[in-house]
Amino acid sequence: MNSDPLQHRPNRRFEFTRREFWRGARAAWVIFMGILVIALVLTAVAESGYPWGPPLSMITLYLLFGIPVGGIIAGLAVLAGAPVAWALGRMLSAIDRILIHIVAFSALGAFTGIAVMALVTLPSAGYGIDVLGQPFAVAVMGACAVSVGGGWAWTVWQAGKEMFPAR
C-alpha cells in the first residue's frame, strides 16, 4: 500500500496520512529523548563535584530519573499536542515552501516546551521561583522546537522515500 499523500489531493503536497503523522510524532519524541539524554549528561557533569559526588554518579542519577520522567512527560506532550499539530499540518498542507512548514512546526514545538515547563513547574510558582527564566527551561524549549521540526522533516523524508523507492 502506498501512503503517498499526492494520490488523494494533487494540490496538497504535504497532506499526510494518519500513519505518516504518527510516524512524525514518534520521530519528534525520539529526537527529544536524544537531546534530553545529552542535556542530562552535560548538566550532571556540570553539577558534579563537592558536595554532590563524582561525574559518573551524577550522570547515573540524572539518567536514572531523567529518562523515565522526561520520556513520560514528553509522551504526554506529544499526545496533548497531536490535535494542534494535525490542525497545523492541515492548514499548511497546500503550501509548498518547506521552510514555512519547518518554522511553523518548530514554533509549535517551542510553544509546547514553554507550556510543559510552565505546567511541570507550577507547584514551585508559589515560592517565587522564576523557572521559565532558567537555562534549563530555555534548553527544553529549544529541544522541543528542534524535535517537532525534526519530526516533520523526518515524515517528509520518509514519505518521499516511499513515493520514490530506490531501484
Side-chain angles (χ1 to χ4, degrees):
M1 179 175 157
N2 191 353
S3 62
D4 177 13
L6 292 174
Q7 284 182 354
H8 305 291
R9 291 189 180 168
N11 61 338
R12 292 184 176 266
R13 180 174 164 207
F14 294 114
E15 185 172 27
F16 300 116
T17 63
R18 280 191 176 89
R19 185 177 67 84
E20 290 169 332
F21 174 80
W22 287 110
R23 176 176 35 202
R26 284 189 308 272
W29 184 85
V30 168
I31 293 168
F32 179 81
M33 292 305 294
I35 295 170
L36 179 65
V37 167
I38 293 167
L40 288 170
V41 168
L42 293 175
T43 304
V45 170
E47 293 186 355
S48 65
Y50 183 78
W52 306 111
L56 186 57
S57 298
M58 293 299 289
I59 290 170
T60 304
L61 182 67
Y62 272 54
L63 293 179
L64 185 65
F65 290 103
I67 290 176
V69 171
I72 290 169
I73 292 172
L76 292 173
V78 166
L79 292 175
V84 177
W86 181 265
L88 180 62
R90 290 293 178 201
M91 287 180 1
L92 296 175
S93 64
I95 297 175
D96 280 342
R97 298 190 55 105
I98 290 177
L99 184 61
I100 292 173
H101 288 263
I102 290 176
V103 167
F105 279 95
S106 294
L108 173 62
F111 176 76
T112 301
I114 291 170
V116 168
M117 286 304 297
L119 288 173
V120 167
T121 59
L122 196 59
S124 63
Y127 299 105
I129 301 171
D130 179 25
V131 179
L132 295 179
Q134 299 300 320
F136 185 73
V138 174
V140 168
M141 182 185 74
C144 289
V146 168
S147 64
V148 174
W152 181 87
W154 176 259
T155 301
V156 170
W157 185 59
Q158 290 297 314
K161 280 178 46 178
E162 289 176 359
M163 189 176 358
F164 304 109
R167 295 178 186 193

